[in-house]
Structures are given as structure tokens and as C-alpha cells.
């Protein structure tokens, strides 16, 4: 039976195209590329939402809280073998005033929620792959999302790996630092171009294959 992998993230999991705001086709988005790389022995489920946070309610679009949606999402797709979680970029918005450490704590809260819910439902606990999001580009304040992100977001995003790796160690998660493999488009300093989607998928496929070989 195919192993199931849930991809839980924001617009960079959804596949937001920085050039025109459309959605990349499945074969471009990193979950779709991951499916191609891993083949039929795996089933990839996409759960990307533009603007999704870890635990924060957006003042205009509160339904983008990643914690609020997590239990219904898990219940819809269980049982799971793996869960890839890449969230935190939207928490850098000026409106939340959250430090990198506080954002990472939000990601840890989500990890704990996965463990708690699956245990409640007597389901196997999936292996979580915690992905530290890519850095924010240097022109964020001058781009189309400058009203939401200040230049300070750049510096906080560079602190993500330190805290996310600590969480992965504490919570027995696999870990990937996305910034080692990808960077956002120069168009908006936030979203990924096709080459970055391909590179992220390749890094995740390698990580999963290494785990399966153990």
C-alpha cells in the first residue's frame, strides 16, 4: 500500500506564482514534483493555503490560522506516514510583531498538536518533517508585499534555522533547512520560482529516501 505524505504549508506549498499571482500547475509545485520523484509507492496530499500562519489569527482573514485548521485537516486525511510542515513566513508580518523564536514556538505547537490528535484517535503518529522556511528576500519592503513585511522580517527569517532545528531535536522530527536549497523570487522577495520548487522537492525526496533506507 502506498505511503501517505501530507504537505502542510502556506502559499509556497500552494504554489503561488510571484509573477502574476496565479497558481503554478501541479507539475511545477513542489508537492507535485515530490510525487513524481517518489513515484507510485507514495501518495502526496497538498494542503497549502495562501497567508497561513502557525498559530496567529490574521486580523482580516482569521481562517488562515494553521492551528485552527490542523485537526480537521488531520482527521480528513488520516492515517498518515509522513507530514511535511513548512510554516512561519507569514508570521513575520509586521502586524504580528513576533520574534523568530516566538514563530518557531508556534511551529512547535503545531507539532505537539499532531502528536496529541493522532494519539487521541488511536492512529499511527506520522513522521513529521519540519522545514525551516526560506529566507525573506532583501527587497521585501519595496515589493508588492511591502505593506505587510518590513525589512526587519529579513533578519528574523535568517534566524529560523537555529530555532527550528532545536524544535526538531526536541520533538523527534526530521529536519530540513529550506534556505540551504532555495531562495525567493526577486520579483516579490517572498514566493518561489519553478527552479526553487524543483530544488525543494529534490531535497525532500532525498531526505525521505534516506529515512526509508535506515
Amino acid at each position: 500500500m502506498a505511503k501517505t505524505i501530507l504537505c502542510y504549508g502556506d502559499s509556497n506549498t500552494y504554489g503561488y506564482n510571484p509573477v502574476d499571482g496565479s497558481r503554478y500547475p501541479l507539475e511545477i509545485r513542489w508537492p507535485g514534483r515530490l510525487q513524481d520523484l517518489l513515484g507510485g509507492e507514495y501518495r502526496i496530499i497538498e494542503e497549502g493555503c495562501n497567508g497561513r500562519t502557525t498559530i496567529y489569527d490574521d486580523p482580516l482573514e482569521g481562517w488562515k490560522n494553521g492551528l485552527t485548521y490542523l485537526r480537521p485537516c488531520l482527521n480528513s486525511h488520516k492515517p498518515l506516514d509522513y507530514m511535511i510542515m513548512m510554516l512561519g513566513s507569514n508570521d513575520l508580518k509586521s502586524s504580528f510583531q513576533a520574534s523568530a523564536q516566538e514563530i518557531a514556538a508556534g511551529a512547535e505547537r503545531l507539532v505537539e498538536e499532531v502528536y496529541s490528535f493522532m494519539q487521541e484517535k488511536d492512529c499511527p503518529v506520522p513522521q513529521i518533517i519540519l522545514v525551516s522556511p526560506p529566507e525573506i528576500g532583501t527587497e521585501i519592503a519595496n515589493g508588492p508585499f511591502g505593506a505587510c513585511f518590513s525589512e526587519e522580517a529579513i533578519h528574523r527569517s535568517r534566524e529560523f534555522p537555529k530555532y527550528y532545528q532545536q524544535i526538531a531535536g526536541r520533538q523527534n522530527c526530521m529536519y530540513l533547512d529550506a534556505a540551504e536549497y532555495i531562495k525567493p523570487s526577486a520579483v516579490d522577495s517572498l514566493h518561489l520560482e519553478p527552479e526553487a520548487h524543483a530544488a525543494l522537492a529534490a531535497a525532500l525526496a532525498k531526505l525521505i529516501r534516506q529515512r526509508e533506507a535506515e
Side-chain angles (χ1 to χ4, degrees):
M1 185 168 62
K3 293 189 176 183
T4 302
I5 302 175
L6 175 66
C7 303
Y8 195 67
D10 53 27
S11 52
N12 276 327
T13 298
Y14 166 87
Y16 183 96
N17 185 336
V19 175
D20 58 11
S22 64
R23 189 182 192 185
Y24 287 127
L26 178 62
E27 62 269 19
I28 296 296
R29 303 193 295 264
W30 71 258
R33 289 179 179 270
L34 183 63
Q35 180 72 78
D36 288 341
L37 290 170
L38 293 178
E41 295 181 3
Y42 294 84
R43 183 172 70 96
I44 306 297
I45 299 172
E46 294 183 291
E47 280 286 357
C49 176
N50 296 338
R52 179 175 283 150
T53 65
T54 57
I55 61 172
Y56 297 103
D57 283 324
D58 188 292
L60 297 177
E61 298 175 301
W63 53 272
K64 294 186 176 183
N65 184 319
L67 180 61
T68 303
Y69 180 65
L70 184 56
R71 282 182 171 242
C73 179
L74 293 171
N75 197 58
S76 294
H77 300 303
K78 68 181 193 303
L80 301 170
D81 296 283
Y82 288 89
M83 181 174 182
I84 302 172
M85 187 184 300
M86 186 172 73
L87 285 170
S89 295
N90 289 301
D91 300 41
L92 292 166
K93 289 179 178 178
S94 302
S95 58
F96 299 127
Q97 298 184 337
S99 68
Q101 188 171 10
E102 289 169 334
I103 294 169
E108 185 167 24
R109 176 71 180 84
L110 296 179
V111 171
E112 293 171 341
E113 190 75 0
V114 174
Y115 291 155
S116 174
F117 181 75
M118 290 305 196
Q119 289 167 358
E120 280 182 25
K121 296 298 182 181
D122 292 323
C123 280
V125 176
Q127 175 62 64
I128 296 175
I129 302 176
L130 184 63
V131 181
S132 175
E135 294 179 1
I136 299 296
T138 57
E139 294 298 315
I140 187 68
N142 302 318
F145 295 97
C148 300
F149 296 87
S150 69
E151 288 189 0
E152 180 59 29
I154 302 167
H155 306 293
R156 283 180 287 147
S157 72
R158 292 172 180 172
E159 296 178 333
F160 277 165
K162 170 185 175 182
Y163 297 112
Y164 276 67
Q165 189 168 24
Q166 290 174 357
I167 291 166
R170 279 198 301 269
Q171 299 292 344
N172 195 32
C173 299
M174 296 166 63
Y175 172 72
L176 185 78
D177 177 6
E180 290 188 5
Y181 303 93
I182 59 174
K183 61 182 179 179
S185 170
V187 174
D188 68 2
S189 291
L190 187 62
H191 295 104
L192 305 180
E193 294 184 342
E195 296 79 5
H197 278 272
L200 181 59
L204 286 165
K206 180 179 179 181
L207 188 65
I208 291 168
R209 288 194 186 108
Q210 287 174 341
R211 181 57 179 246
E212 293 291 305
E214 292 178 356

